[in-house]
Amino acid sequence: MAVDSVQELLDIVEGAWTEANTDSKTPRFAKAWGETPMRVSVMLATPDRDLITFYETTAPQEPSGSMIAVGGTKLIRHTSNLRIDIRSVNTEAHALKVKEEVLRILVANMSAPAGSFDKLLPPFDLQNLTDKGKRVYRYVISCRLVTHRRTYT
C-alpha cells in the first residue's frame, strides 16, 4: 500500500483548523502533486481566501524507508520530507495568524496518537518569502512525517 504523506499532513491540518484563530476564515487546502493544484492567480481573484499548499520534497541524506519489528510485527518506516506553503493576500496581521495556526496544529500533532507509531518530527523550519510590494504574504514550513505500515511478506 502506497503512503500518501502529503494527503495525511493535509488531513491533519485541515481537520484541526480553528477558524476563530484566523479571523473566522478557513483557507483553501491543496496538494501540489496528485491533483491539479490551485493556482495563485485563482487565489488572487478571491482576496478573502488564503491558500495552503502541501507537497513532498526529497532529502538524499535519509533513507526513504526502513524495516523495524515491533512485537513480532514487521513494519516499514517511511520518512517523508514535506513542505507547507502558506499564501495570503489579506493583511500581514492576518497572514501571521494563518501561519501561527498551522504551527499550532503541527506542534499539537508532534507526538504519536495512542496505539500509533506515526508522528511529525521537529524541528519545523520556517521561511518568510513575503513580497510586501505586491502585498502577497508567504511562509513555507518544512517538516518530516514518519509513518509505519505493516508488511505482508
Side-chain angles (χ1 to χ4, degrees):
M1 181 167 124
V3 176
D4 188 353
S5 300
V6 175
Q7 186 64 50
E8 287 187 37
L9 184 60
L10 188 153
D11 291 344
I12 288 170
V13 174
E14 188 174 24
W17 195 265
T18 303
E19 279 190 346
N21 295 341
T22 56
D23 302 324
S24 299
K25 295 180 182 178
T26 300
R28 294 181 182 172
F29 299 95
K31 287 170 50 175
W33 293 303
E35 62 183 51
T36 304
M38 185 172 302
R39 301 282 180 223
V40 174
S41 59
V42 172
M43 182 196 71
L44 295 173
T46 55
D48 62 324
R49 299 296 297 267
D50 307 303
L51 176 64
I52 301 179
T53 307
F54 299 79
Y55 56 94
E56 189 168 5
T57 62
T58 58
Q61 72 275 12
E62 293 184 20
S64 64
S66 59
M67 189 176 296
I68 62 172
V70 177
T73 302
K74 292 180 182 176
L75 300 172
I76 298 291
R77 175 186 166 126
H78 181 83
T79 302
S80 300
N81 296 287
L82 305 168
R83 293 225 172 119
I84 304 169
D85 193 329
I86 303 164
R87 295 174 191 236
S88 179
V89 292
N90 286 292
T91 65
E92 184 174 13
H94 175 76
L96 289 171
K97 288 178 184 178
V98 172
K99 175 194 70 152
E100 291 301 319
E101 178 65 4
V102 171
L103 288 172
R104 179 194 70 79
I105 293 166
L106 292 177
V107 169
N109 284 279
M110 279 192 323
S111 59
S116 170
F117 295 101
D118 300 349
K119 63 181 175 179
L120 285 163
L121 299 176
F124 304 119
D125 296 323
L126 175 67
Q127 292 179 308
N128 184 346
L129 302 175
T130 295
D131 185 345
K132 289 188 178 185
K134 293 182 180 177
R135 293 181 39 102
V136 176
Y137 304 98
R138 182 176 177 204
Y139 302 95
V140 177
I141 301 170
S142 299
C143 62
R144 292 186 304 151
L145 177 65
V146 176
T147 56
H148 294 83
R149 297 293 182 261
R150 184 177 178 180
T151 63
Y152 295 99
T153 56

